Amino acid sequence: MDLAFAARFLGAFFAIMNPFVTLPIFLSMTADCTVAEQRSIALQIGTYSTVMCLVIAVAGNAIIGFFGISIDAFRVAGGLVLLGIAFSMLNGHPITAHERGDHEKSADATADAADDAEGGIAFYPMTFPLVVGPGTIATLIIYAGQARGVPEYVALGLITALLLAVLIVVLYFAASIGRLLSARMRVVMTRLMGMILAAIAVGMVTAGLKILLPGLT
């Protein structure tokens, strides 16, 4: 197994799909729910996220190939998306690529009240675009395209399954964990993950540009 490949993927995927960054948003959106309802929604989010990640990892390259997009072009675009998310994390700004815009929130406010029932937020906005947003999609497609041989595909699958399991556990016990994490701890974790993600994103953009613009090397 290529440990360098596994380490890069783990760092990128954990930074972009950090369960502890998702936790406070989940708690705020389920504030009126009982613990049992929160756990039911957490399991739904885990199921939706697993299905989406599986489809993206298996068919993501075929999908972008259908539109005539090369993996290197997608690597540059994905790296730029991740870099924007990293800057937001470092500066303490909302991660707009993984959250609804103001016009979407306004539209949601006028939607049928049934959407706010138990599980109504499980797919949108919690799974998509919060957990499996553009950054997560780009990371999965890029690293699935870089994988060479069975060991790297196994590493990709195991790391994805591990982080999805951590996500489910964190959200399932959100009420208990939320009381243990102070606001300062969440800020420090977000800044640290933002710096790691920025470094990984620069590496993605650089690697893609070397292939697309060989004169730069």
Side-chain angles (χ1 to χ4, degrees):
M1 183 182 296
D2 187 343
L3 294 180
F5 172 86
R8 288 197 305 271
F9 178 65
L10 175 61
F13 206 53
F14 182 77
I16 197 64
M17 202 179 74
N18 188 335
F20 296 101
V21 173
T22 306
L23 177 63
I25 302 174
F26 175 79
L27 287 172
S28 66
M29 298 194 72
T30 59
D32 297 330
C33 298
T34 64
V35 172
E37 290 171 341
Q38 283 183 332
R39 291 181 172 180
S40 175
I41 295 172
L43 292 176
Q44 292 179 56
I45 294 170
T47 301
Y48 291 140
S49 299
T50 300
V51 172
M52 286 191 69
C53 287
L54 181 62
V55 171
I56 293 164
V58 172
N61 280 286
I63 293 171
I64 66 172
F66 176 79
F67 290 101
I69 303 171
S70 71
I71 187 64
D72 294 299
F74 199 84
R75 184 178 295 144
V76 173
L80 292 174
V81 170
L82 295 184
L83 192 59
I85 294 172
F87 284 147
S88 296
M89 294 170 70
L90 286 169
N91 295 320
H93 296 155
I95 304 174
T96 54
H98 276 242
E99 296 180 8
R100 296 169 292 171
D102 292 337
H103 65 289
E104 293 175 314
K105 293 176 182 177
S106 298
D108 283 350
T110 61
D112 186 21
D115 289 340
D116 293 326
E118 179 185 346
I121 62 167
F123 181 76
Y124 178 84
M126 285 304 305
T127 299
F128 181 84
L130 185 61
V131 175
V132 187
T136 308
I137 293 170
T139 303
L140 276 172
I141 291 178
I142 289 167
Y143 280 93
Q146 291 178 351
R148 297 291 182 269
V150 175
E152 292 187 355
Y153 284 112
V154 170
L156 195 77
L158 289 177
I159 291 171
T160 302
L162 174 63
L163 290 183
L164 286 169
V166 172
L167 172 73
I168 294 171
V169 170
V170 168
L171 296 185
Y172 191 83
F173 295 103
S176 300
I177 296 174
R179 289 193 291 268
L180 300 176
L181 286 177
S182 66
R184 184 178 296 274
M185 289 175 64
R186 289 195 292 265
V187 168
V188 170
M189 181 176 295
T190 300
R191 299 293 192 277
L192 179 60
M193 288 298 102
M195 193 65 210
I196 293 173
L197 187 60
I200 292 171
V202 169
M204 285 183 179
V205 173
T206 303
L209 288 177
K210 284 181 179 178
I211 304 298
L212 295 174
L213 303 173
L216 291 178
T217 59

